[in-house]
Amino acid sequence: GVGGYHDVPVSPLSSHTLGDVLSLIAAAFFSVYSVLVKWLIPSEKSIRMPMFFGFTGVFSAILCAPLLVILHYTGIERMAYIPMRVALYLTLNGMVGTVLSDLLWAKAIVLTSPLVVNLGMSLTIPLSCIADFVNPLSPKPRLQWDYLLGAGLVFSSFFLVNAPGVCLPSSEDLESSDG
C-alpha cells in the first residue's frame, strides 16, 4: 500500500480515482491562485489582507449559496440542522484553521514566493503525523519506510529551496546585481 494505508480497497476508476483527479485539479487551481496573489499583491502596503479575504468570503458566500440549494434539492448533498454547540466549534475552527492560516499564508507569499510557501504548506502532512504521535488520545499512525522517505523528501526540499544560492539568490548575488 502507498503511504502506509493497506486496508482501503481501491478499484480502477472508482471514487478514489475521481478523488485523485479532483485533488490534482484543485492543486492546479490553488497554484494559479498562489501565483496570482504574488503577482497582483507585490507588497504588503498595496492591500489590506483582512479586507481582501473578507471580500473573498462575501463573494464566495453570495456566489456559492445558490449552488448549495441546488445540491440540496437534487439530493447530492443534504443540508441539515446543526446544533449550536457544533456550530460554535465549526466557527472557532473556521476562525483559527481558515481565517488565521489564510492571512498568514498570503502574508508569507508576499514576503517570499509561492514555491516556498506551498512547500511549507506541504509540511502539514508529516507534521500532522508527528502531532498524532504526541497526542495520547490519537491512534498511532503506522509509519513505514515509504512514508518516512516521503516526509524526509518534503522536509529536505523545503530547506533546500530556502538555502541561499540554491534556488534563491545569495546576498552576494543580490548585491552584485544592484551595482
Side-chain angles (χ1 to χ4, degrees), residues 94-162:
M95 295 298 291
V96 174
T98 302
V99 174
L100 181 61
S101 67
D102 281 353
L103 285 172
L104 295 173
W105 170 84
K107 186 168 180 85
I109 282 189
V110 170
L111 295 174
T112 60
S113 74
L115 173 65
V116 170
V117 174
N118 288 316
L119 270 174
M121 293 291 289
S122 67
L123 293 175
T124 58
I125 298 166
L127 290 175
S128 66
C129 188
I130 292 170
D132 280 343
F133 249 58
V134 173
N135 183 358
L137 301 177
S138 177
K140 301 298 178 232
R142 290 180 288 171
L143 297 180
Q144 297 177 336
W145 72 269
D146 53 350
Y147 179 84
L148 294 172
L149 175 66
L153 289 172
V154 170
F155 271 104
S156 62
S157 66
F158 178 74
F159 292 110
L160 185 66
V161 164
N162 280 299

Side-chain angles (χ1 to χ4, degrees), residues 74-96:
T74 58
I76 295 172
E77 184 68 42
R78 292 279 177 203
M79 290 189 286
Y81 171 77
I82 299 174
M84 183 57 71
R85 184 179 176 130
V86 173
L88 290 173
Y89 285 137
L90 289 173
T91 302
L92 178 65
N93 180 40
M95 295 298 291
V96 174

Side-chain angles (χ1 to χ4, degrees), residues 47 51 53 99 136 172:
I47 192 168
M51 184 178 287
F53 283 111
V99 174
E172 293 86 25

